[in-house]
Amino acid sequence: MAVAIVTGASRGLGRALAAELAARGWRVVVSGRDIAALTAPADGPGAVALTGDVRHAPHRAALVAAAQRLGGLDLLVNNAAVLGAEPLVPLAEQSPDGFRHALEVNLVAPLALVQEALPLLRASPRGAVLNLSSAAAVAPYATWGAYGATKAGLDLLSGVLAVEEPELRVWWADPGTMATRMMASAEPDADLGALPTPHEVAPLLLRLVEERPPSGRYTARDLARGAVVR
């Protein structure tokens, strides 16, 4: 049975991805800071919920150890992220401390977790890393500069990882704008009513896991149109 680690699984897209994987028979190790919200998507056999902060090395080690006890690791989903400021602000008003926090959660922690998980991923015949990106990583949107910079860095790290680990699949995927608490915190005046939910987007992103296209950057919009390059 395949095993995955999903970070930021207390709510939003991480929760939806964990639930979708579990429904497909995966054993899932989920990470989040809110234990009350974290337990629900982890219900079921072969599921492990670990409360903690991905910035902390002991928590990252515990996630990988839990996966190993379940049989190994086939998929690492780096989904945990913070905005750096809530609501978002122009760069002229961005707190350096908030930016450092976003860098630690969105960029440093995913790299450190990949490093921790690499021995298990290399041992899997279907080892893969799915890093959650953003449109803000590739386009300059006002007030999204600090968050976008962290995601642009994650995109580049993902590409380098794909070159350095050619036996793995490494995907960095933009899920698009969704109706989430993070989006509401980013832009409180935005109308989220017409946006897709994380539970609608999660199956699109998991096409990558099912179809295993080459390592690269993908968007949920392209995946919905069937634009997966084999």
Side-chain angles (χ1 to χ4, degrees):
M1 186 178 291
V3 180
I5 293 173
V6 181
T7 67
S10 298
R11 58 183 62 87
L13 183 59
R15 182 185 178 100
L17 286 168
E20 186 70 24
L21 285 166
R24 299 179 186 202
W26 283 64
R27 295 174 177 174
V28 185
V29 180
V30 292
S31 163
R33 291 176 295 170
D34 184 348
I35 187 60
L38 187 61
T39 53
D43 287 345
V48 177
L50 296 177
T51 309
D53 192 320
V54 291
R55 293 176 298 168
H56 300 154
H59 180 61
R60 297 191 298 266
L63 292 173
V64 175
Q68 187 166 25
R69 289 192 297 272
L70 291 176
L73 183 61
D74 304 285
L75 173 66
L76 171 61
V77 181
N78 279 310
N79 170 74
V82 297
L83 292 167
E86 295 184 12
L88 294 174
V89 295
L91 289 177
E93 301 170 20
Q94 174 66 51
S95 158
D97 286 342
F99 185 42
R100 287 190 194 94
H101 184 202
L103 282 169
E104 287 288 336
V105 175
N106 302 356
L107 185 55
V108 178
L111 171 59
L113 186 51
V114 165
Q115 292 171 335
E116 187 81 30
L118 267 177
L120 293 184
L121 290 169
R122 287 168 174 160
S124 168
R126 295 178 62 82
V129 177
L130 172 57
N131 290 328
L132 273 299
S133 184
S134 167
V138 295
Y141 298 111
T143 73
W144 287 86
Y147 176 81
T150 68
K151 290 298 185 178
L154 185 61
D155 278 10
L156 184 57
L157 281 182
S158 301
V160 173
L161 181 65
V163 171
E164 294 176 345
E165 299 288 337
E167 299 303 314
L168 301 181
R169 289 290 195 274
V170 183
W171 306 298
W172 46 112
D174 170 14
T177 307
M178 297 173 288
T180 62
R181 194 167 89 173
M182 175 180 272
M183 186 61 194
S185 298
E187 298 184 359
D189 296 330
D191 180 7
L192 307 185
L195 296 178
T197 68
H199 288 282
E200 293 172 314
V201 174
L204 299 176
L205 297 182
L206 290 183
R207 285 192 60 196
L208 296 170
V209 178
E210 291 182 344
E211 301 181 25
R212 293 183 62 80
S215 296
R217 192 176 200 278
Y218 295 86
T219 69
R221 179 175 296 180
D222 286 342
L223 292 167
R225 292 199 297 256
V228 175
V229 180
R230 297 182 186 277

